[in-house]
Amino acid sequence: MKAVVYDAPRSYRVTSVPDPEPGPDEVLLRVLMAGLCGTDLHLHEGEFGPRYPLTPGHEIVGEVVRTGEAVTGLRPGQRVVLDNTSRCGDCAPCRRGMGHFCANLRAQGVTEPGGFAEYLTAREANCFAADDLPVEVAVFAEPLACVVRGLDRIALSPASDVVIFGAGPTGLLLAQLAAHSGAGRVTVAAPTPSKLAKAAEFGVDHTMRLDRADPSSGIAALRSLAPDGFDVVIDATGAVSVLASAFGLARDGGTIVVYGMAPESARWPVPAYEVFRRELTILGSFAQLHGIEPALRLLRTGRVRTDGLITHRFALDEYPQALAAAGESGCLKAVLVP
Ligand SMILES: [Zn+2]
Ligand SMILES: [Zn+2]
């Protein structure tokens, strides 16, 4: 079969590899669609713990082709989305119920073969039936599962005033779920007008143009929108320049959420006295944890909309173009359709 295979950071080929064989408790999936996200751009640079040779792709919709002999709940032809992570269940974090910190965490598309391929195998336990969802909706299950985890971490107080930096797919999913999780007002700030228009279409209360190179006028406008500060400031960009403005926008006692993935080497000066004096909370959220089922519920009810989020589609051979597109400002979600 054809697959994207990395042997080192930035070094990959779209090449022919042996077809994977499902184990007894696994299924063979034909990849119907696999989304690219910021994580894949970091993996391309060798960040986020890749294990080589690596086939990336962790946002996966597949069709069951064949089942291992111990598989009982899935049959060929079924459409599934994948929880790409597997936890050992035995290590200290697993035993504390914090499986995303598992010492032996395996993640398809990061440490194991992922979905930028024609086929992949997956444990039955990691597959979630999604026959009732269009492929282009189901492909958002994994990123939305991460957003579910983020909202779980934030534990919004009712009617909270929330501002989100970033209007990529993640920012747009976060904004919608925040609105459905008790926010009293949701504002999205980002540089790209077309993305802000999408945020408005999805029911966000305010959108704000924020130039990342010169954020001062956007920040001033946000401050006039919430003179006492926002209850929750969420960064979905991973840009340190954006995070730096979070302290000035959070209200006393407010929460700053580091949701976007910064480069591993990025450093962010934190005003320690302000955190102390103003009782600020800084929290992170990096991955989903048992979030696929809730995410599918949100997609099925349409509480969280994804229409129009896929802006670019590519074949496997066009992986270089897909990578380039995923880094462009006009791109929301780029997907590979093997
Ligand atoms: Zn992702
Ligand atoms: Zn573990």
Side-chain angles (χ1 to χ4, degrees):
M1 68 161 185
K2 207 183 281 178
V4 175
V5 181
Y6 280 80
D7 56 12
R10 293 185 289 277
S11 168
Y12 67 87
R13 287 172 304 148
V14 183
T15 184
S16 194
V17 298
D19 284 1
E21 275 296 318
D25 64 345
E26 291 183 332
V27 296
L28 178 68
L29 297 176
R30 182 168 70 85
V31 179
L32 299 175
M33 189 177 277
L36 266 94
C37 80
T39 302
D40 297 304
L41 300 182
H42 285 278
L43 282 167
H44 175 76
E45 300 294 335
E47 298 186 333
F48 207 57
R51 206 171 290 163
Y52 302 106
L54 174 67
T55 294
H58 59 275
E59 304 176 357
I60 302 160
V61 189
E63 182 186 290
V64 178
V65 177
R66 200 141 47 84
T67 59
E69 63 258 33
V71 171
T72 54
L74 290 171
R75 49 183 164 61
Q78 252 185 310
R79 179 176 302 167
V80 298
V81 297
L82 212 59
D83 175 352
N84 70 309
T85 57
S86 295
R87 299 151 280 272
C88 76
D90 294 326
C91 69
C94 278
R95 287 190 291 171
R96 282 201 302 270
M98 309 284 273
H100 54 316
F101 298 138
C102 173
N104 308 300
L105 188 71
R106 292 180 301 134
Q108 290 186 266
V110 182
T111 64
E112 323 270 321
F116 296 163
E118 287 177 291
Y119 297 93
L120 83 164
T121 54
R123 288 169 58 232
E124 179 185 18
N126 286 51
C127 295
F128 293 77
D131 295 289
D132 56 332
L133 284 174
V135 175
E136 56 272 18
V137 175
V139 76
F140 288 96
E142 195 278 343
L144 184 54
C146 296
V147 164
V148 168
R149 169 71 183 158
L151 265 295
D152 207 18
R153 291 278 294 142
I154 298 163
L156 278 183
S157 297
S160 292
D161 199 4
V162 178
V163 63
I164 297 165
F165 289 108
T170 292
L172 295 173
L173 297 176
L174 272 168
Q176 294 182 79
L177 192 55
H180 287 299
S181 303
R185 180 170 73 162
V186 179
T187 302
V188 171
T192 314
S194 62
K195 293 183 179 178
L196 290 175
K198 202 73 201 165
E201 188 192 322
F202 285 170
V204 159
D205 301 288
H206 293 283
T207 59
M208 195 65 73
R209 184 91 194 272
L210 192 82
D211 183 348
R212 268 181 218 166
D214 178 22
S216 54
S217 65
I219 297 291
L222 285 171
R223 217 172 268 137
S224 61
L225 198 59
D228 296 328
F230 292 89
D231 296 304
V232 181
V233 180
I234 305 175
D235 174 61
T237 70
V240 171
S241 61
V242 174
L243 273 170
S245 62
F247 293 101
L249 290 172
R251 71 159 167 82
D252 292 353
T255 298
I256 294 166
V257 184
V258 182
Y259 190 96
M261 184 173 166
E264 284 180 23
S265 60
R267 293 294 176 270
W268 167 41
V270 170
Y273 179 78
E274 268 194 68
V275 174
F276 157 78
R277 176 65 181 77
R278 301 176 54 210
E279 296 194 342
L280 299 173
T281 300
I282 299 172
L283 62 83
S285 177
F286 99 100
Q288 64 97 9
L289 183 66
H290 309 305
I292 300 285
E293 198 61 62
L296 286 172
R297 191 177 309 129
L298 292 163
L299 294 173
R300 287 187 173 116
T301 57
R303 287 277 194 292
V304 169
R305 286 172 55 185
T306 58
D307 45 295
L309 288 188
I310 296 176
T311 50
H312 295 69
R313 286 167 191 259
F314 299 97
L316 273 181
D317 285 325
E318 298 171 313
Y319 181 67
Q321 292 91 307
L323 264 185
E328 283 169 11
S329 66
C331 176
L332 278 166
K333 177 63 82 183
V335 296
L336 290 176
V337 185

